[in-house]
Structure formats: structure tokens, C-alpha cells
Amino acid sequence: MPPTFPILAAAMSLALLAGMVRGYCGFGFAMLMALGLMLFMAPIQAVPLALVLDLVASMGLWRRALRHADWPCLRYLLLGMAATTLIGVWLLASVPASPMRIVVALLAMSGAVALLCQRETASAVPRTHHPGVTLGAGGLSGLCMTLASAGGPPLMLYLLYRRMPPLVIRATAIVFFAASSSASLLGLGLAGALHASTWHWAAWLLLPALLGNALGQWRFERTPPRSLKISIAPLLIGLSLWVLIREALA
């Protein structure tokens, strides 16, 4: 069944907003889309759709991100992500819809709260890269990405801990989530979680996602974000509370 106009309008507005956030911050698109879409579809439908849009809409950001990403760190992040993606696919396909909505909302909220609690530091000296810690950060982020499209907070907390410049953080996040979304979609496709409806919805939402992405990129070029505390964290907390309240009243 095609979506009704109010639902379609809400989903397109959400795609525009999520695109703006990701174009500006380098992450957050899939989390915002998954949380919002779960208000009117099951997680097993919302998460693959969010990942498809996240991957396609980020293509315009790849060229610059590949130049500025921290590759010594990124290699270990991607290795950790690859090791946990299949676990996330299995859990997403196995857990019923209502508990999964709660899990997704709690993951997103805990990550947003962790970002809010992250201390600002005046030091400009990057911390040392430790392979074991980097593998763990990539693994946790990859698991959360596949399970709930919520891989952003674990990765961003690690990158902020490393005291990377905003340009490098954004570029590293863009490359990581492009690879993570691709791996997750491959696993979900093999698990039979990608359907014709996924592509129909993606066709409706791709244009506003791309428009939002371009607007966020334009804004970043002129005023890079000073802190994620005032950008994505409040949005994630608000959407997570919305999903949890809705599930409690259902």
C-alpha cells in the first residue's frame, strides 16, 4: 500500500532534517531516520530503509572525506565493525518489533546523553591511537549501526576522546558509516530484510535527504560545529523519548 499523504509528508520532512544534521555533523542521519520511521513502521523495515538512504545520500560527501579521514585509526575501526555486523543482523531479524523499538530508543538516548556528558577540552594535542581500544570502538559502533542505526554515539565519543580536529572527525565518521551501512545492508539483504517496499520508500525520501545533505554541507563550510552537544544530542533525546512514550501508551 502506498503511504498516506500525512505519513509521507512527515517522512520527507524527517529525511530533510536528518540530511541537514549529517551534512553538518558528519553523522546522525541513520539514527534520526530510524527513530522517526519506527513511529509508523517496524524496526526490521525502518532500519534497512534508514541505512539505504544513509548510504546513497552520503555519496556526495565521500570524495572530500576520503582525503581528510584519519586512516591509521579508520583501518582498526573498520576491522572491528566487520567483526560485529553479522551479530547485529541476527538480532535485528530475531527480536520482535516492540522490544526492538525500545532497544533502539534506549541505545540512541544513552548515546546522546553520553555526548552531552562529554567534557570539552582546551587541549589541542591528539591522544595516542591504541589499536585494541579502536577495534572495540569500531565493533560497538558497527553492532549498534546494524541493530538500530545507532552507531553514531559510540564512534563519535571515541573520536572526541582522540581530540581530533572537527574536519577530521567529520571525514572519518563519513567514511566509517559509508562502510558500515554497506556491510549492514549486505547482511540484511542476505537475511531477506530488504523488500520492494524498502526501495519504494527510498525513492520517495531520497530527494529531501539529498537536499538536506547539501544544506548541511553548505552550513558546515561557513560555520563548522563547535560542539555536538548543541546539534544532534537534543534531537536524539527528543525522538527517543517520543518513541518510548508511544510504546508505553500502546
Side-chain angles (χ1 to χ4, degrees), residues 29-89:
F29 180 91
M31 280 189 297
L32 290 172
M33 284 302 299
L35 282 172
L37 291 172
M38 281 191 300
L39 296 172
F40 44 86
M41 64 176 65
I44 194 64
Q45 298 171 297
V47 171
L49 176 57
L51 292 175
V52 167
L53 290 169
D54 181 56
L55 182 62
V56 176
S58 70
M59 288 181 177
L61 305 176
W62 293 354
R63 183 176 179 180
R64 186 180 182 189
L66 288 170
R67 294 200 309 268
H68 296 288
D70 184 334
W71 282 100
C73 171
L74 194 53
R75 292 186 185 96
Y76 285 94
L77 288 171
L78 293 176
L79 183 60
M81 174 272 294
T84 58
T85 294
L86 289 179
I87 299 174
V89 170

Side-chain angles (χ1 to χ4, degrees), residues 94 112 130 136 152 169 182 190 223:
S94 304
H130 297 287
I169 287 178
S182 299
L190 294 174
T223 313

Side-chain angles (χ1 to χ4, degrees), residues 31 105-117 150 152-154 157 233 236-237:
M31 280 189 297
L106 290 176
L107 282 173
M109 181 179 290
S110 61
V113 170
L115 286 175
L116 286 174
C117 295
L157 284 170
L236 289 177
I237 291 174

